[in-house]
Amino acid sequence: MKIVDASVVVASPGRNFVTLRITTDDGVTGLGDATLNGRELAVVSYLRDHVAPLLIGLDPHRIEDTWQLLYRGAYWRRGPVTMAAIAAVDVALWDIKAKVANLPLYQLLGGASRERVRTYGHANGRDLPELFESVRERLDQGYKSIRIQTGVPGLKRVYGVHGEPEVTPDGHPRPLVEDWDTAAYLRHIPTVFEAVRSEFGAELPLLHDAHHRLSPQQAARLGKDLEPYDLFWLEDCTPAENQEGLRLVRSHTTTPLAIGEVFNTIHDFRTLVNEQLIDYVRAAVTHFGGVSPLKKLFDFAAQQQIKTAIHGPEDISPVGMAAAIHLDLAIHNFGIQEYAGYTAATEEVFRHAFTFDDGYLHPGEAPGIGVELDDELAAAYPYVPAYLPVNRLADGTVHDW
Ligand code: CS2
Ligand code: MG
């Protein structure tokens, strides 16, 4: 069996997605997600101009060898663009291998370790009434765990409370500028969880994403202040390139910690896992180089009783999400799966076998990862230049978003 084609489809059914399709001489095709939110076209070029030509003629069954060729052969290693491109190839090759075996991918990953995959959903609100309504909407959809994000008094726009992107006079989009005040945030968040707990009770698993905005000392303070509210986790409490910074946080709070959605290789987790500084690894199939390296990370994390929590917002395409759910079903140290759901247009472009029911996902039994991409429909949604927001402090200083 040989690879005869590797093509990249860019579609924007509500938001931009980049998908790789690999085709073999037997006509078997595989899909991989290569979506890097806000820098999509960099990965398109990496795949089209540098990777696709190398794939032609290769044996699609040699997944590990192809992964090592693309990782070590590039010389310039790691990074979000490289690892998203390699991820797309890895997932597409697993899709092909599982289709040839006429098995759903999870069967090639050790088979099912559970009946279904529990998820958490996003509740957002500018204020408590809006937040409570959003929580009730998620509960009505069946979610059993809820991430809580709200506005902060005095701040116009805050992460998780979406605003409209601005466009420059020449029509090119500019990142939306959000404002930030750490002191106001640290004062406000404990009052939010006090209110949510008194409204929704002590048992509902609640999560919160600090989105890389705190110093280790500030993260330690927030973790401690939130202990009375018994969070399922506090996510990205501090920029974790400084892995050692989590030692300070860990020494001050028992609030569970989740980190890693922006990480793209196992090296980013080395200290965090070896020293048990976190409780959940958040890496995503699409950003971490694919299923192959992510399973290695999960096995590494399992040695320290750390569980998985694959990143799953709207900017992980149904292709990346499907691959994640197959892994979620198969691995032993599964924790929880983030699932924000998709627009109707996205569901039309990416027809998938995975199902979401009563707050749980299942990958389905279709051979491969179980996703088909409708090229005709995809063509109706051309790429739209778009950026992630940026954060600025009151004095104008750029801050982590
Ligand atoms: C967030 C993401 O879901 C999360 O945990 O951190 O939505 C993140 O903001 C986006 O993936 C950025 O593209
Ligand atoms: Mg996050």
Side-chain angles (χ1 to χ4, degrees):
M1 200 174 201
K2 293 269 178 272
I3 294 172
V4 294
D5 185 64
S7 59
V8 181
V9 178
V10 183
S12 190
R15 59 161 309 104
N16 293 313
F17 293 115
V18 178
T19 308
L20 172 71
R21 176 186 281 114
I22 292 179
T23 305
T24 70
D25 52 357
D26 296 7
V28 181
T29 61
L31 294 178
D33 179 23
T35 304
L36 184 63
N37 197 358
R39 294 294 186 272
E40 294 86 356
L41 298 186
V43 187
V44 172
S45 169
Y46 195 104
L47 283 169
R48 276 184 182 151
D49 300 326
H50 301 292
V51 169
L54 300 182
L55 298 176
I56 306 307
L58 294 188
D59 176 353
H61 281 296
R62 298 183 62 170
I63 300 175
E64 183 66 18
D65 180 61
T66 302
W67 195 96
Q68 297 295 343
L69 171 72
L70 294 179
Y71 181 77
R72 300 174 192 280
Y75 185 74
W76 311 107
R77 298 182 181 190
R78 304 167 74 176
V81 175
T82 297
M83 300 317 288
I86 295 177
V89 175
D90 184 82
V91 173
L93 295 181
W94 275 112
D95 193 13
I96 288 167
K97 186 180 278 288
K99 282 179 176 175
V100 169
N102 196 30
L103 287 171
L105 175 58
Y106 76 84
Q107 293 290 13
L108 302 191
L109 301 174
S113 295
R114 56 196 54 78
E115 305 314 316
R116 52 187 185 163
V117 169
R118 72 173 174 166
T119 68
Y120 72 88
H122 297 173
N124 304 314
R126 282 167 298 184
D127 51 30
L128 287 181
E130 220 176 75
L131 173 63
F132 288 4
E133 193 186 317
S134 184
V135 172
R136 291 193 181 93
E137 282 166 10
R138 295 296 85 74
L139 292 173
D140 290 347
Q141 284 177 291
Y143 285 102
K144 304 294 185 287
S145 304
I146 311 276
R147 188 191 75 176
I148 300 291
Q149 304 295 138
T150 69
V152 174
L155 299 184
K156 286 193 299 295
R157 296 186 184 114
V158 180
Y159 166 69
V161 184
H162 300 302
E164 279 310 305
E166 285 153 1
V167 180
T168 60
D170 64 5
H172 194 84
R174 283 270 186 276
L176 184 65
V177 179
E178 298 189 349
D179 48 353
W180 185 249
D181 176 336
T182 301
Y185 167 81
L186 289 173
R187 283 193 300 273
H188 182 59
I189 291 301
T191 69
V192 171
F193 281 92
E194 172 72 40
V196 172
R197 278 291 180 226
S198 56
E199 181 76 12
F200 294 97
E203 291 176 18
L204 177 62
L206 298 176
L207 304 84
H208 179 63
D209 193 344
H211 224 253
H212 324 280
R213 301 178 175 201
L214 305 177
S215 69
Q217 177 275 330
Q218 294 162 345
R221 173 185 153 184
L222 181 60
K224 202 162 183 56
D225 290 351
L226 292 176
E227 282 175 15
Y229 310 110
D230 186 22
L231 263 61
F232 182 90
W233 80 36
L234 173 61
E235 177 182 346
D236 283 334
C237 62
T238 187
E241 297 94 300
N242 171 18
Q243 296 186 54
E244 294 72 15
L246 273 297
R247 291 175 184 148
L248 187 154
V249 182
R250 201 56 152 183
S251 64
H252 288 276
T253 179
T254 56
T255 294
L257 302 174
I259 278 184
E261 67 184 51
V262 296
F263 289 171
N264 39 74
T265 69
I266 202 161
H267 309 291
D268 300 323
F269 283 99
R270 189 193 301 275
T271 305
L272 295 174
V273 170
N274 280 332
E275 298 184 16
Q276 291 183 297
L277 300 179
I278 57 175
D279 303 283
Y280 296 91
V281 289
R282 288 277 287 136
V285 171
T286 308
H287 298 300
F288 203 76
V291 165
S292 304
L294 197 56
K295 188 159 185 323
K296 294 170 185 172
L297 168 68
F298 291 167
D299 292 343
F300 170 45
Q303 309 319 307
Q304 304 289 6
Q305 293 86 36
I306 295 171
K307 291 191 180 296
T308 72
I310 297 179
H311 187 44
E314 309 91 331
D315 48 278
I316 295 287
S317 91
V319 174
M321 180 59 70
I325 304 165
H326 282 279
L327 252 179
D328 290 334
L329 198 71
I331 51 167
H332 178 258
N333 60 323
F334 168 74
I336 197 166
Q337 172 65 52
E338 179 178 15
Y339 184 64
Y342 296 102
T343 64
T346 300
E347 299 270 2
E348 280 178 356
V349 172
F350 295 93
R351 285 189 305 281
H352 54 77
F354 68 77
T355 53
F356 176 70
D357 179 40
D358 190 32
Y360 290 83
L361 287 163
H362 190 281
E365 300 300 331
I369 63 171
V371 183
E372 294 304 326
L373 170 56
D374 185 319
D375 288 352
E376 234 175 86
L377 265 180
Y381 299 101
Y383 169 75
V384 177
Y387 292 91
L388 279 165
V390 298
N391 234 349
R392 286 191 182 271
L393 302 178
D395 67 0
T397 305
V398 171
H399 191 73
D400 293 298
W401 173 72

